[in-house]
Each structure stands twice: as structure tokens, then as C-alpha cells.
Amino acid sequence: MIDPRLHVLRVLAEVGTLTEAAHRLGYTPSAVSHQLRGLSKDLGVRIVEPRGRGLVLTRAGQLLLERSQELFTRWEEIRGELDGLGTGLDTRTRRLRLCGFSTAAAVLLPPTALTVMERFPGAEVTIIEADPEECFDLLISDHADVAVVVATDPLPPRSDPRFEQSALFSDRLDLLVPVGHRLAEKSTVALSEAAEESWILDRAGSPYHRLVRTACAAAGFQPEQAHQSREWETGASLVSAGLGVALIPRLARLPDGFDVVRVPLRGDPVPSRKILSGIRRGSGAQPIIASALEVLREAAETAAPQGARPSRPAAGAACAASSRQRW
């Protein structure tokens, strides 16, 4: 097995402080410090050094981390090969942890979890709702096995050797306007037609905030933010009251009871967000993870709508996402 202190070093390199590394690993800061000192002593080189309030890797630490990535990848592959033998393995010992941003956690991950549990009776399957950046932290700290994220800065690039990332689908965006709005009766609109509107956005720096600003910039304007909302229910309520407009992904379900209309956007390309899956590199050889990725792709194909959803859902209509789902 891989020296667990290499895993500690890996997490520290990601987060930069003993306190945060300890939090991610479930250790105390003193335990993390002890393991790093022990690894440094055994190797005979300094692997970390203080910088400001945090720690950074020395050149020796960087080399160790880069070379150990091959070990982590190979270890994941070995686990998959051993699991694939299927000799005497109790399926109850299998564990799968799925993580994803709010829309994915509500729409894509439940059917994936249910199908995997059918294929691997007795396996422990857990769903974790997390922001895209946190999802990759969960993979690195071995608190999650499969992540579903929106491709946006500052996520790791697709070339990052620690992960395998695959495109699932493009989730088109709709313009959300109140009933009676000048754009509400149109079959499609160009995003530029809403340039003079007041906008409802998430907090600055959030994936949704960046997504909207990027889409609007491509359409030739910067949205004027009138209100800030983090949840579908709040955002739909503000739009329904005529306080502004918003962009809403096609995958997201609207809560009932609001006088709002989703107007499909047109353009070349149509504004959308890219949905990706991510795993630790090499772990796709493990049967339960391979199965989860297969099912996830099938769930994505089913969930990815091509046409506009109804503008005002009928009362009592099934809704896979919570009304308090995050933007």
C-alpha cells in the first residue's frame, strides 16, 4: 500500500494550511504536522516550508508529489484489478461516494445511486451535495469517488494528471422572466434582447455568477445586478414579482407556484454550461466506479432535455429538484 503520509502531503499541497488539511483528512493539525515531519526525516530532505500563514512544498516536496502521482494512479488500477477478480469479495464491503453540485445532486445522482445499488446488492452508496470546487477536494482527500461538476474556473484543467474528466452533456440556459414580460410570449430570444433588464445573480465569485457574466459578455453586454439570490425558490420569487430576470439551466426544475416563464435562448453557440464527470485517475478500473460512470452517462442522456420545459409547471407535477436548490 502507499505510504499514507504521501496522501497527507497531497492534500496539504491542495489546501495550503495544516488546519485545512487536517479538516479534510479528519485529523488534528498536530497529527498532520507529525506525519509531514516524519516523512521529511525518513527521506532526509525538507518537503514543506512556511510561507505567510500557510505551508508550501519545497522543490524536493514538489518532486515527491509529482512522482508519487504515478503511485496513486497505479494503486487505483491495482484495486480495480483485484476487485475485478471477484473471488470471495463480499459486496457489502463495496463503497461508492457520489458528489455533485445542487442540480446534479437532485437530478442525476439519485437514479445513478439506485441503479448501482441494484447492480451491487449490499454496497454502501452515498450522495454528497457540494460546490464544483469542493467536489475535486473530496476526490483528492478520498471522501468521494465520482464527481459531477460544471466546467468553470477555477476547476482543475482537463489535463490535470490527478483526475480523469469526461464530458456528460451541455446544459442549455433559458431566460427566466415574469408572466406578462415583453419577452414572455416569444418562442426564442437572443440574450442581447435582455441587455437592459435588471438581473438576479448569485454572489460574486460563485459558479453561477461567473456563468451568467460570461454568457452576457459573449452577447455583448454586462448584466446590471439588482438582487442577489442563492436558491431557486428565492430567484423564482424575485422574477415572479417583476424585480428582474435570470438565466436558468435547462436541467434545473422550477418550483411550483410562481408566475414565471422560461424562454429558450438562441445563438451560435446557444448559451449553455458544460457538465463533466470526474474521478481519481486510474480508479475507473474499479467495477463499482466503472458502473457508476456508465449509469451516470445514461442518466445524463435521459435528463438532458432538448426542448424548452413548460413555462409554468402544473400543480402537483413531479419535481426531482428541491425548491431550495442552489443556482
Side-chain angles (χ1 to χ4, degrees):
M1 295 182 63
I2 297 177
D3 190 324
R5 296 175 299 183
L6 290 176
H7 183 60
V8 173
L9 180 67
R10 195 186 198 194
V11 173
L12 176 71
E14 184 73 16
V15 300
T17 68
L18 286 174
T19 301
E20 185 59 24
H23 174 70
R24 300 284 175 86
L25 292 164
Y27 298 160
T28 64
S30 61
V32 172
S33 178
H34 175 75
Q35 293 199 44
L36 292 173
R37 286 198 306 269
L39 181 59
S40 181
K41 181 179 179 180
D42 288 350
L43 295 173
V45 292
R46 292 185 65 188
I47 57 175
V48 296
E49 60 187 5
R51 179 175 296 176
R53 296 183 177 181
L55 291 173
V56 297
L57 271 60
T58 63
R59 290 183 61 186
Q62 287 285 359
L63 176 61
L64 177 61
L65 186 65
E66 292 170 6
R67 297 296 290 166
S68 65
Q69 177 55 44
E70 300 174 19
L71 299 177
F72 283 108
T73 299
R74 186 56 183 151
W75 175 243
E76 296 284 0
E77 293 171 347
I78 291 171
R79 290 176 61 185
E81 292 171 6
L82 293 173
D83 196 2
L85 293 177
T87 55
L89 182 64
D90 187 343
T91 56
R92 290 173 297 180
T93 66
R94 284 194 171 102
R95 178 180 64 174
L96 177 70
R97 298 151 303 171
L98 306 167
C99 67
F101 64 102
S102 59
T103 310
V107 178
L108 297 177
L109 298 187
T112 300
L114 288 172
T115 302
V116 170
M117 286 190 288
E118 291 176 359
R119 293 183 178 182
F120 297 85
E124 179 184 335
V125 181
T126 304
I127 293 175
I128 306 165
E129 181 181 346
D131 289 336
E133 294 174 54
E134 186 183 359
C135 285
F136 283 95
D137 292 338
L138 291 170
L139 290 176
I140 280 294
S141 60
D142 196 23
H143 289 139
D145 304 300
V146 178
V148 180
V149 301
V150 178
T152 181
D153 290 335
L155 295 185
R158 297 282 288 273
S159 59
D160 192 313
R162 299 171 298 173
F163 307 109
E164 296 176 28
Q165 301 181 53
S166 301
L168 288 174
F169 65 97
S170 292
D171 189 15
R172 297 177 61 163
L173 302 179
D174 293 329
L175 182 67
L176 191 66
V177 300
V179 170
H181 189 274
R182 62 184 179 86
L183 301 176
E185 298 304 319
K186 292 196 172 187
S187 58
T188 64
V189 297
L191 185 54
S192 58
E193 295 181 64
E196 302 301 320
E197 299 289 337
S198 297
W199 282 81
I200 298 162
L201 304 177
D202 197 351
R203 69 191 188 285
S206 69
Y208 173 75
H209 187 275
R210 291 192 295 267
L211 176 70
V212 174
R213 287 201 169 273
T214 298
C216 292
F221 71 97
Q222 287 297 324
E224 180 180 348
Q225 182 169 354
H227 305 282
Q228 180 175 305
S229 169
R230 299 186 67 185
E231 297 175 346
W232 295 122
E233 183 176 4
T234 305
S237 178
L238 294 174
V239 173
S240 179
L243 295 174
V245 301
L247 288 185
I248 182 170
R250 189 70 58 81
L251 185 63
R253 273 59 164 173
L254 281 173
D256 296 340
F258 296 106
D259 291 328
V260 294
V261 179
R262 320 176 64 131
V263 186
L265 293 173
R266 63 174 183 269
D268 186 18
V270 174
S272 63
R273 59 180 184 174
K274 309 300 181 184
I275 310 300
L276 309 175
S277 65
I279 59 174
R280 289 183 298 278
R281 187 168 296 278
S283 65
Q286 298 174 35
I288 196 168
I289 294 179
S291 180
L293 292 174
E294 177 189 351
V295 176
L296 185 59
R297 286 190 292 269
E298 295 170 355
E301 291 175 1
T302 301
Q306 298 302 314
R309 292 186 183 276
S311 299
R312 300 175 64 182
C319 181
S322 166
S323 63
R324 296 187 63 81
Q325 186 178 8
R326 290 274 298 279
W327 290 105

